[in-house]
Every structure is written in structure tokens, then in C-alpha cells.
Amino acid sequence: LALVVSGAEVRVPVESLFSLRPGELIVQSCMGNIAGHESGTLFASVEFEVVHFVPKVLVVLGESHSTIISKAIQYISGAEPASGPMHVVLDRILVSAVRVLRQVTSEGASTTAGREMKIRQLTAELNALYTVEQLLRRSSIIRKAVKHHGMEVHAAILDQTTGNVDFMGTHPMLEDLLKDRSAASLFDDQQGADSVPAQIEVNCPSDEDTDHVHHEGCSHDD
């Protein structure tokens, strides 16, 4: 039995992505596949599911073409401020989006489309890892399930154009987080806020592969 924290924009049954039947997964869906506040309903629901169902695997499933991630990228690129409800979700995603935008901007890109696709892909991946980190850092229940009951925690990305799920593996600082919830974060300034963590390898599209993409700004989800 596995628990999947997925984005709310997944338009097919999550079970079908893993060739399973309805009811064979525990699925919690929310915008941006975020963990929520430590004392909030989203966070408490994940903890309850871990205790009640005792899953062997917890997967944080991000989306390759998430609208909320595109909104975050637009926001830090100068778009109008988000509404109150949306801003709560964007606050979580901006942690990853700002870091990626700085890194990709410093690298440069020969085409705008290639740059935008790279920013969106990296932001989705970092956001999934950020949710994993927050769950491990804030929840003694989840840390105990990993340390003493063998539960695995993975980040993955759904490619919404193909339906394939690409697993990124466990958090690169998993052992440190299990030993000490105050361990350094991938997202701390001390870890290099202007760069994408070196532990993450991403196969980004080449500029030649993106020459045919029609450019309409950062959002390809509208």
C-alpha cells in the first residue's frame, strides 16, 4: 500500500498512472502538491494516513505543467500580485521558483522557449523535494515511520504530456533530516540560495528540441 500526495490538477485517476485499480492507493490531492501548515488539515491528513494505513511508500507527485507553478514563475517575473487564497499556495512554491529562476538566468539560454521549459521543469522537481523535506522536518510521525517501520519517501514528477511518472528518488539529505529535524536544508541560504542543488540531475530539453514551441510567456497551461 502506498500514499501519494499529488497535485490537484491531475486529470486522471492517480491509480491509473501506476497501472493500479481504484482504491489500491491512498491519494491526497492539493494545489501544488504542498504539505500545508504543520497544524493544518492537509498536514494532519498525511500524518493520519501514515498512522492508520501504514503505507510502505509515500510519494510526493509533482506535475510537469502545473498551473500554480506557472503562476509562481509569472509572479516573480513581474505579474500582478496573487489573490489571498492563491498567495498561500504560492508562498510554498516561490521557495523553489526563485531559486531556479536565479540559476537559469545566470546560465543564460539561446532560446526563450528552452529557458522557460527548463525553469518550469526544475521548479516542479524542486517543489516536490521541498514538500518531502517539510514532511520529514516537521512530522515526528513521518520520521518514525521511515526510521522504524521502513516507509520510503520519494519525489516524482508526472509528465502530463505523456502520462509517464519519473521518479527522482529520496531526498538527498534524508539521513541528516532523520537524525535532526533542524538539519541544514537544501533551500537554506547557507546551501547556496542562488543555485539548484547539485544532488539533482535533470535531463532538460535542448534548445534544438524547443525551437518549435510557440512562445506565449511562462505559462503554457492557460
Side-chain angles (χ1 to χ4, degrees):
L1 192 62
L3 166 60
V4 179
V5 178
S6 75
E9 297 175 271
V10 176
R11 295 178 175 85
V12 297
V14 173
E15 290 91 344
S16 68
L17 301 173
F18 302 95
S19 301
L20 298 173
R21 294 175 295 181
E24 292 187 330
L25 287 177
I26 309 154
V27 180
Q28 177 164 307
S29 299
C30 58
M31 288 300 294
N33 52 272
I34 62 174
H37 294 286
E38 190 169 351
S39 58
T41 303
L42 287 174
F43 202 91
S45 294
V46 174
E47 290 189 319
F48 173 82
E49 289 153 357
V50 168
V51 171
H52 184 73
F53 295 105
V54 195
K56 294 296 184 183
V57 180
L58 189 162
V59 178
V60 174
L61 181 63
E63 303 155 87
S64 64
H65 291 67
S66 167
T67 299
I68 197 70
I69 283 179
S70 290
K71 293 293 184 184
I73 295 169
Q74 290 174 343
Y75 179 61
I76 59 179
S77 299
E80 290 294 319
S83 62
M86 184 182 292
H87 195 73
V88 173
V89 181
L90 285 180
D91 276 349
R92 297 292 190 278
I93 297 171
L94 286 172
V95 173
S96 300
V98 169
R99 188 185 188 106
V100 169
L101 190 62
R102 288 174 178 169
Q103 175 71 11
V104 175
T105 299
S106 68
E107 292 175 352
S110 58
T111 68
T112 301
R115 174 179 177 273
E116 290 177 357
M117 291 180 71
K118 184 173 183 178
I119 289 171
R120 187 177 60 196
Q121 180 179 356
L122 278 171
T123 300
E125 296 193 4
L126 279 186
N127 183 57
L129 280 175
Y130 183 67
T131 296
V132 169
E133 183 172 304
Q134 294 304 299
L135 289 170
L136 289 168
R137 186 180 297 280
R138 298 179 179 182
S139 175
S140 60
I141 290 173
I142 293 174
R143 290 197 303 275
K144 180 179 179 181
V146 175
K147 290 172 67 175
H148 302 298
H149 302 292
M151 184 178 76
E152 297 181 14
V153 182
H154 294 270
I157 298 294
L158 166 64
D159 185 332
Q160 290 169 294
T161 63
T162 65
N164 294 329
V165 175
D166 297 320
F167 278 86
M168 300 165 58
T170 59
H171 193 286
M173 299 177 69
L174 176 64
E175 294 302 321
D176 293 334
L177 290 168
L178 292 179
K179 292 176 183 176
D180 181 5
R181 63 175 291 178
S182 62
S185 166
L186 281 179
F187 302 87
D188 285 344
D189 288 340
Q190 295 90 333
Q191 296 296 313
D194 290 343
S195 61
V196 173
Q199 297 94 327
I200 302 171
E201 296 183 1
V202 182
N203 294 319
C204 294
S206 66
D207 291 330
E208 290 78 7
D209 293 335
T210 58
D211 285 341
H212 65 282
V213 178
H214 181 60
H215 168 52
E216 294 183 348
C218 289
S219 177
H220 299 277
D221 305 300
D222 296 337

